[in-house]
Amino acid sequence: MSDKSNNEQEPGSRPQAAGKSWGTGAATGVGSMPGGDAREAAKTVTGSLEALPYLPELPARGPGADMIGRTTGLLVDVYAHVEPSGWRISDRPGRDTKRARSWLGEDLDALEEYTQGYEGALKVSAVGPWTLAAALELRGGEAALGDAGACRDLAASLAEGLREHLADVRRRVPGARIVLQLDEPSLTAVLTGRVRTASGYRTYRAVDRAVVEGALRDLVTVAREATGQAPVVHTCAPGVPFALLRRAGFQGISFDFSLFTEREEEAVGEAVEAGTALFMGVVPGTDGPLSDPAGSVMGVRTLWRRLGLAPGTLAESVVVTPSCGLAGASPAYARAALAHCVRAAKSLADNPE
């Protein structure tokens, strides 16, 4: 793999121009891959994606390899274990925490093996503070989301854990320009008061948008200090809060393009003009027929025309991805989907009109 760009963002600066870390016409995955073989997943990802490979997640291995479990293993002085209802905060690290850390170490070992001598952008992901608060249960069984103090503690623990994790990745792949991705699939539900309580009969009160934005901005600062650039954020839910995420300082927003609606167009146009990259999920995440690469991004070109944006900015502003993770796909389809994303991104660069 070759180094496409040597540009990095200085900590504390405005969101960097789209595409600076990974070059133009880039493609990447969202996070998860099928199966349980860390070496095979790392080989597939690094072999398929030259501009923006990533650290795969393999949730098929079981609790601790899922995105919530993996992130609980990163937390500092906060531990969790698996209950029938999901992940619950513990007093001390148990076998579930140890398993999560062990699997992450295995994944990092595999990534290190297949990135020897690599110089370029490299994406690693963790669950963001609000999806984590919605998923993690307190000792009584209710989500941490219902306790403002618990939310603050989780965010602080996550920040410390991410500092350590990003430093570890930098040691393992010293030539990498690390891009942190925060996964926030529950963010819209948190903002709109649609996260259900343990009983299922009511929902938690919507969290104030300023509080949500502030916690995210704090983690953006952590990422900038650790990597030299702002992170990206991923959500595969409808109703992505583009304006809030842009204000929080993310350099890129990753979303499922099939869920995008006309009422979100103005916010997306403003994000692009402000230099925010769009990680557009245009390739299905589960097995099925794939259209020609140019056809996969036809809707993106149409959106650009409606917004009145210059066609030449397409390949700089858009990173092509699957619609969500590939854990539910077959290994053969996952490989084909990543290769298809690469070809679709190239078509945007070669023929933006």
Side-chain angles (χ1 to χ4, degrees):
M1 289 184 279
S2 61
D3 184 358
K4 295 281 187 182
S5 168
N6 290 316
N7 295 316
E8 279 190 304
Q9 180 182 7
E10 292 300 320
S13 64
R14 70 182 292 276
Q16 66 182 50
K20 247 183 180 177
S21 272
W22 44 81
T24 59
T28 191
V30 172
S32 65
M33 291 287 285
D37 188 328
R39 293 183 73 254
E40 184 62 30
K43 180 181 178 181
T44 296
V45 166
T46 56
S48 301
L49 303 167
E50 181 178 354
L52 189 52
Y54 62 96
L55 176 65
E57 298 169 356
L58 300 173
R61 292 179 299 193
D66 59 298
M67 69 176 193
I68 297 296
R70 170 181 273 193
T71 301
T72 63
L74 296 175
L75 298 176
V76 173
D77 295 331
V78 175
Y79 314 104
H81 66 278
V82 179
E83 293 280 345
S85 53
W87 284 90
R88 183 171 296 181
I89 291 175
S90 308
D91 292 323
R92 60 186 63 86
R95 64 179 183 181
D96 294 327
T97 297
K98 293 173 183 175
R99 185 188 300 117
R101 292 175 176 173
S102 175
W103 271 328
L104 177 58
E106 182 180 313
D107 295 337
L108 287 167
D109 288 344
L111 182 73
E112 184 177 0
E113 177 182 349
Y114 284 99
T115 52
Q116 291 295 310
Y118 174 65
E119 295 184 356
L122 175 67
K123 183 163 69 70
V124 298
S125 57
V127 175
W130 297 108
T131 294
L132 196 62
L136 269 184
E137 298 174 356
L138 300 175
R139 292 170 182 82
E142 291 295 342
L145 184 65
D147 184 322
C151 289
R152 288 192 295 271
D153 291 345
L154 269 182
S157 175
L158 178 61
E160 289 304 309
L162 285 174
R163 286 189 182 96
E164 295 179 6
H165 179 49
L166 294 169
D168 185 24
V169 177
R170 185 178 291 280
R171 284 191 296 269
R172 290 170 177 268
V173 194
R177 295 190 305 280
I178 301 168
V179 180
L180 174 64
Q181 173 182 300
L182 290 180
D183 292 317
E184 283 283 15
S186 299
L187 182 60
T188 301
V190 168
L191 288 166
T192 55
R194 289 190 283 116
V195 177
R196 293 200 170 276
T197 60
S199 68
Y201 294 120
R202 63 183 183 86
T203 58
Y204 294 102
R205 181 180 301 174
V207 181
D208 184 88
R209 297 178 77 87
V211 173
V212 169
E213 184 179 326
L216 293 173
R217 188 181 295 110
D218 288 345
L219 284 173
V220 167
T221 299
V222 168
R224 281 179 168 163
E225 292 171 348
T227 69
Q229 59 183 314
V232 301
V233 60
H234 168 74
T235 176
C236 49
V240 178
F242 288 99
L244 183 151
L245 296 173
R246 175 174 57 82
R247 289 195 306 269
F250 289 99
Q251 71 159 317
I253 301 172
S254 173
F255 60 100
D256 182 347
F257 189 60
S258 70
L259 302 177
F260 185 74
T261 63
E262 286 188 14
R263 66 176 177 271
E264 296 165 309
E265 289 186 1
E266 182 179 352
V268 161
E270 291 173 352
V272 172
E273 290 177 345
T276 305
L278 302 178
F279 287 56
M280 291 192 171
V282 297
V283 176
T286 53
D287 291 41
L290 292 169
S291 66
D292 68 285
S296 294
V297 289
M298 186 180 301
V300 179
R301 290 191 178 94
T302 301
L303 172 64
W304 235 246
R305 286 194 294 270
R306 283 205 305 267
L307 292 174
L309 297 168
T313 64
L314 254 176
E316 299 174 355
S317 300
V318 173
V319 177
V320 177
T321 77
S323 58
C324 204
L326 294 167
S330 66
Y333 179 82
R335 288 191 295 272
L338 291 179
H340 190 87
C341 287
V342 171
R343 290 193 294 270
K346 187 175 187 300
S347 77
L348 283 181
D350 292 345
N351 183 23
E353 296 290 347

